[in-house]
Amino acid sequence: MSNLETWLIIILILGIIASNLVVLKYNAKFKLTQFGKNHKKKPKKTQEEVNTESTLTNKSSTNNKKDKDPSSSP
């Protein structure tokens, strides 16, 4: 083998190793699920639904405080 061919093989191997490391780093961001399990994605809530839920939660918490606080009753 000539000296040039040896260097080309070494550079090729280093390039493959570097690309594999980049792919592993990129894929580490994703959460992998188990194979064979049926995972259903929940639809994202719209901003209107989130606002409605927060107002309902706030109203129920204020109603509970009024029921428990004897000084607030007439």
Side-chain angles (χ1 to χ4, degrees):
M1 251 196 212
S2 72
N3 203 13
L4 178 64
E5 291 174 346
T6 305
W7 282 108
L8 287 176
I9 292 172
I10 291 172
I11 291 172
L12 179 68
I13 290 171
L14 290 176
I16 292 171
I17 291 171
S19 66
N20 284 339
L21 291 174
V22 170
V23 168
L24 284 174
K25 185 178 178 182
Y26 178 75
N27 284 336
K29 297 177 186 178
F30 298 109
K31 181 181 178 183
L32 299 177
T33 58
Q34 295 292 326
F35 291 111
K37 290 189 178 182
N38 197 4
H39 295 285
K40 294 181 180 177
K41 292 184 178 181
K42 294 180 181 178
K44 291 185 178 182
K45 295 180 180 179
T46 62
Q47 187 64 33
E48 184 177 316
E49 291 173 341
V50 171
N51 290 340
T52 305
E53 286 180 358
S54 65
T55 55
L56 291 176
T57 305
N58 290 340
K59 286 180 181 178
S60 65
S61 65
T62 56
N63 288 340
N64 289 340
K65 288 179 184 176
K66 288 179 183 177
D67 294 339
K68 292 180 182 177
D69 190 13
S71 63
S72 66
S73 60

